[in-house]
Amino acid sequence: MSQATARAHSNIALIKYWGKRAGPRNLPAVGSISVTLDALYTDTTVVFDDTLSADCAQLDDKPADTARLTPFLDLVRTRAGIDTRASIVSANNFPTGAGLASSASGFAALSLAATRAAGLELDARELSILSRQGSGSAARSIFGGFAEMHRGTRDDGSDAFAEPMLEPEDWPVEIVVAITDTATKSVNSSIGMSHLDERSDYYQAWIDHSESDLAAMRDAIAARDFETVGALTEMSCLKLHGLMMSTRPGLIYWNPATVAAMQAVRSLREAGTPVYFTIDAGPQVKALCAPGYGEAVARSLEGVPGVLETRRTALGPAARVIA
Ligand code: PMV
């Protein structure tokens, strides 16, 4: 029996990933740029146990489906040359599956815990490539601070990995998450983004502009130009949701409180607070705040009708083994 426990933090994309390249290995159609969040994380323990006849899993103290986990563990077993089944115990310190990137922190933590428990010592790039095969956004949660995920061009996925851009202390922007609904989302991202070439007339435009959006964001981050980073972040978010709404059947992840929180962010900005919103495949609004503005933004968003709670967070560290 061998075991390891890892912690990985959630991340949110400033330039969004949505859409897959054809073929196996979960290859992204576009690159993405994200920030890792200190206050939202997953702790995962993996035990390879000779007495087990099948993999088993527990998430937040409840039995969890292993349909997506066993093929992922098989990647680790093949690499380690073992056949042993595993028990996974995982806990999020935030609502699961509600657009708070639990699959990102979850698969990043699982990659690290499972490889260590199997006796493997993968470097960060190899871990990022492995995590991507569980969930595209998980490739970015291997790193702290700002990270960029490369789309890659190879069919084997060996060049589709994330890389660190800035450490948290290099530019301590803050994020306020406004939670508007804690229910599990109705259409998960893998289903939402499948076969977009056949399902959305906007998909090609999304792909065509992705490289220039990434390049503009890289430059703005390097220059610590908060207004440009923020404007690109809102634009990428709204483009993503335009693409989602254009998909057959149309995907609408927002509720009235989501829209109210977006408008509140824009009102704050008009009144001089440096803050911009972004939203993933769920109804929560994440406000990107210039250093020092998190507390004031959190206080304002708490007063928006329909906002249930806010979480304020700094940028977080890379995934790591904790036991
Ligand atoms: O990693 P997935 O398959 O859960 O997809 C993530 C998609 C978005 O969160 C909407 C965007 C992103 O880049 O994280």
Side-chain angles (χ1 to χ4, degrees):
M1 212 155 81
S2 57
Q3 78 172 68
T5 300
R7 173 171 296 178
H9 294 254
S10 163
N11 74 75
I12 52 160
L14 307 181
I15 297 293
K16 302 294 188 190
Y17 147 60
W18 196 252
K20 295 179 197 290
R21 285 197 271 142
R25 302 188 183 90
N26 199 29
L27 298 169
V30 294
S32 52
I33 292 177
S34 63
V35 286
T36 298
L37 308 179
D38 192 47
L40 306 180
Y41 56 81
T42 305
D43 286 342
T44 299
T45 300
V46 175
V47 184
F48 285 102
D49 180 347
D50 294 315
T51 66
L52 292 172
S53 56
D55 295 323
C56 56
Q58 205 179 307
L59 175 60
D60 294 335
D61 295 324
K62 289 187 221 77
D65 187 7
T66 53
R68 213 170 144 191
L69 300 174
T70 288
F72 186 80
L73 287 169
D74 286 343
L75 299 171
V76 176
R77 281 187 279 256
T78 302
R79 191 153 179 162
I82 60 172
D83 196 31
T84 319
R85 302 294 107 181
S87 130
I88 301 171
V89 177
S90 192
N92 293 328
N93 76 334
F94 58 92
T96 301
L100 288 173
S102 55
S103 66
S105 51
F107 275 104
L110 179 60
S111 297
L112 184 52
T115 51
R116 286 299 174 89
L120 297 168
E121 286 267 352
L122 268 52
D123 66 22
R125 178 171 298 183
E126 292 172 311
L127 278 171
S128 181
I129 289 172
L130 175 63
S131 301
R132 186 204 72 231
Q133 295 172 77
S135 164
S137 55
R140 302 182 309 236
S141 269
I142 295 301
F143 301 100
F146 287 73
E148 174 166 5
M149 171 75 193
H150 303 289
R151 163 198 198 273
T153 53
R154 296 186 203 138
D155 289 342
D156 68 0
S158 58
D159 56 352
F161 50 77
E163 280 186 303
M165 297 175 86
L166 289 182
E167 293 305 313
E169 58 276 14
D170 293 335
W171 197 19
V173 300
E174 297 176 58
I175 310 288
V176 174
V177 183
I179 297 174
T180 65
D181 186 354
T182 53
T184 300
K185 65 196 171 211
S186 50
V187 180
N188 77 32
S189 41
S190 307
I191 294 170
M193 71 169 88
S194 63
H195 304 291
L196 287 180
D197 47 341
E198 294 156 20
R199 293 170 63 218
S200 170
D201 304 336
Y202 292 2
Y203 185 52
Q204 196 54 48
W206 168 255
I207 306 269
D208 290 346
H209 292 88
S210 124
E211 285 303 323
S212 57
D213 291 348
L214 288 163
M217 183 59 98
R218 257 178 239 131
D219 289 349
I221 291 172
R224 313 286 198 275
D225 176 351
F226 186 78
E227 276 64 41
T228 304
V229 167
L232 290 166
T233 296
E234 273 195 15
M235 179 221 46
S236 180
C237 161
L238 291 171
K239 260 197 210 180
L240 168 70
H241 285 269
L243 174 64
M244 289 163 162
M245 289 175 196
S246 78
T247 304
R248 291 175 289 272
L251 288 171
I252 302 173
Y253 285 106
W254 302 348
N255 62 35
T258 312
V259 178
M262 290 156 77
Q263 284 166 339
V265 166
R266 288 199 162 172
S267 301
L268 280 169
R269 201 156 74 232
E270 275 155 30
T273 304
V275 58
Y276 294 82
F277 63 74
T278 188
I279 304 160
D280 289 316
Q284 330 302 357
V285 175
K286 291 106 180 192
L288 176 69
C289 315
Y293 286 90
E295 192 182 344
V297 169
R299 241 185 289 120
S300 295
L301 291 180
E302 266 154 31
V304 172
V307 170
L308 306 174
E309 62 171 296
T310 62
R311 294 250 184 140
R312 192 181 145 202
T313 174
L315 299 193
R320 61 212 179 274
V321 172
I322 55 173

